[in-house]
Amino acid sequence: MTSGQSKSFTGALFGDTEKGLVVERLGDRLLVESHMTGDIVKCKQRTGLEDGHIVVGDIVQYQVAHASSVHRGEDAEYIVVGFDTRKNLLYRSDPRSRGASNKMKALASNVDQLIVVVAPQPLVPLSTIDHLLVAGEAFNMSCAIVVNKSDLPEHKKMMENLAVYPPLGYPVIPCSTAGGKSDPPAQSLRSILRNKTSVFVGQSGVGKSSIINALFPSLHLPVGELSKKGHYGTHTTSTTRLYHLQEGGSVIDSPGIRDFGLLHLKKDTILAGYKEIATASTQCKYRDCTHMEGQMGCAVLKAVERGEIAPTRLNSYQQLQGELKDAATLARKKRHTM
């Protein structure tokens, strides 16, 4: 049975607990793929379950919710009663909240690889790409950048702008899904997806759903057009969903985002996410060096002058550290007024 099918039966009897993989969350309902049968069953999450929100990628334990329904021969209702320890949990801070009220949004768990999907239209700021790569580093995921819409004339310039990333260990893979079929370069994408659990993240309109359709031709996911005002993408993916690759591995498709909030991370974690800056900073004269213009004895600024660090990377790092500082200041003010 494919992950797109759903059935209301499984091998679990009342009182028995069965394991499964969460492949989608629909409001308060979870779609769980049974480890025993491969069937997809609908579950509710037990109220008060420790550690809170169950997400796509979680390995959960579930059981029949009511013995009476089984005895009457009715379709069973299932409830998630626990979940296994996670390898990692990808989550972001809500950009609409700040300071002490900063809220978190979990996206997926047990992820091996974060795939940043970009395109010439809508143009994705390099700072947004950097934020996503920092998130991948913070949660122990390997990262790659996929440039969709390689058939567009602006593609060449974008690839030039992204040339900074491969030397840092982030592959940049061009592809096109024009006409609904993926170009041969997409085979490079398939090779890095094989036998891994990968999550696709990116702005609305960059073509995540089109790439998923190319990888899984039978899905026919809806694909949105760019809005005429501002060339922003329109949301076509409303939930996070996991799909299994025939050659091995899984792909998690997620709703589009404008930016990936990182205000929940510590400043040292953000620094570690900019690997080349972190390396150069060990040679700074002062331990509390901010790497801002005019800083005495800053090895990072000298590395920028030598062309070893891209100015765009330093700018996005400084921007992110500034946002983190502002959020901490706001949190202190809120605490003092309570």
Side-chain angles (χ1 to χ4, degrees):
M1 174 175 289
T2 66
S3 60
Q5 294 176 288
S6 175
K7 286 195 174 184
S8 57
F9 64 89
T10 181
L13 300 176
F14 183 72
D16 292 339
T17 299
E18 186 174 332
K19 277 195 174 185
L21 169 68
V22 178
V23 297
E24 189 170 9
R25 181 166 194 130
L26 302 168
D28 64 345
R29 298 279 180 168
L30 301 166
L31 297 187
V32 178
E33 181 185 72
S34 166
H35 280 183
M36 182 182 296
T37 66
D39 295 332
I40 304 295
V41 298
K42 291 182 179 179
C43 301
K44 286 186 176 182
Q45 180 178 325
R46 189 182 70 186
T47 304
L49 185 63
E50 188 178 359
D51 293 328
H53 202 63
I54 300 296
V55 297
V56 171
D58 275 332
I59 304 298
V60 297
Q61 300 93 47
Y62 66 96
Q63 62 186 34
V64 174
H66 304 290
S68 57
S69 62
V70 177
H71 294 155
R72 291 195 301 267
E74 299 172 355
D75 287 344
E77 295 181 0
Y78 299 96
I79 185 168
V80 170
V81 296
F83 61 96
D84 287 4
T85 300
R86 295 159 169 158
K87 178 173 71 174
N88 54 30
L89 175 65
L90 178 64
Y91 61 98
R92 62 184 176 92
S93 53
D94 188 337
R96 293 170 296 183
S97 63
R98 287 291 186 270
S101 63
N102 191 25
K103 298 178 181 179
M104 307 300 165
K105 183 175 179 60
L107 299 182
S109 68
N110 301 315
V111 176
D112 300 313
Q113 183 170 233
L114 187 145
I115 305 294
V116 181
V117 182
V118 299
Q121 294 182 7
L123 184 63
V124 180
L126 294 180
S127 59
T128 298
I129 297 173
D130 289 336
H131 291 185
L132 291 166
L133 295 175
V134 169
E137 294 287 346
F139 300 117
N140 298 314
M141 303 172 189
S142 59
C143 301
I145 301 169
V146 171
V147 186
N148 196 18
K149 307 181 185 181
S150 61
D151 53 298
L152 296 180
E154 301 91 343
H155 170 77
K156 182 178 179 181
K157 178 62 177 177
M158 186 168 196
M159 291 297 292
E160 292 175 358
N161 292 337
L162 296 176
V164 61
Y165 294 105
L168 299 176
Y170 305 123
V172 176
I173 303 170
C175 72
S176 172
T177 55
K181 294 184 178 180
S182 185
D183 283 350
Q187 297 305 317
S188 299
L189 173 59
R190 284 187 176 275
S191 68
I192 68 169
L193 297 177
R194 189 173 295 116
N195 297 325
K196 296 179 181 178
T197 297
S198 305
V199 60
F200 281 31
V201 291
Q203 289 187 352
S204 298
V206 295
K208 295 189 305 297
S209 294
S210 297
I211 295 174
I212 296 293
N213 281 334
L215 293 170
F216 306 92
S218 63
L219 287 179
H220 305 296
L221 297 179
V223 177
E225 299 291 336
L226 294 181
S227 65
K228 294 182 180 179
K229 184 178 179 180
H231 294 286
Y232 291 121
T234 54
H235 290 282
T236 57
T237 302
S238 58
T239 64
T240 302
R241 177 74 196 227
L242 182 147
Y243 304 96
H244 294 299
L245 290 163
Q246 186 175 7
E247 58 266 35
S250 301
V251 170
I252 300 174
D253 188 21
S254 66
I257 56 171
R258 288 283 174 86
D259 200 359
F260 199 92
L262 297 174
L263 299 182
H264 54 290
L265 298 181
K266 297 180 178 179
K267 64 178 184 179
D268 289 344
T269 303
I270 291 175
L271 174 60
Y274 290 83
K275 296 184 287 188
E276 74 281 32
I277 297 177
T279 299
S281 69
T282 62
Q283 303 302 315
C284 289
K285 184 176 181 179
Y286 302 105
R287 290 186 60 185
D288 59 350
C289 183
T290 61
H291 319 307
M292 301 295 290
E293 186 176 353
Q295 185 86 44
M296 294 292 293
C298 179
V300 172
L301 295 178
K302 291 179 181 179
V304 172
E305 292 176 359
R306 294 193 298 267
E308 297 169 3
I309 295 177
T312 55
R313 290 276 288 173
L314 180 58
N315 289 341
S316 70
Y317 166 76
Q318 292 171 338
Q319 175 194 353
L320 193 51
Q321 291 286 18
E323 292 175 359
L324 191 66
K325 183 178 180 181
D326 291 344
T329 301
L330 181 58
R332 285 194 297 270
K333 289 181 178 179
K334 286 186 175 182
R335 286 195 297 268
H336 291 156
T337 57
M338 291 177 65

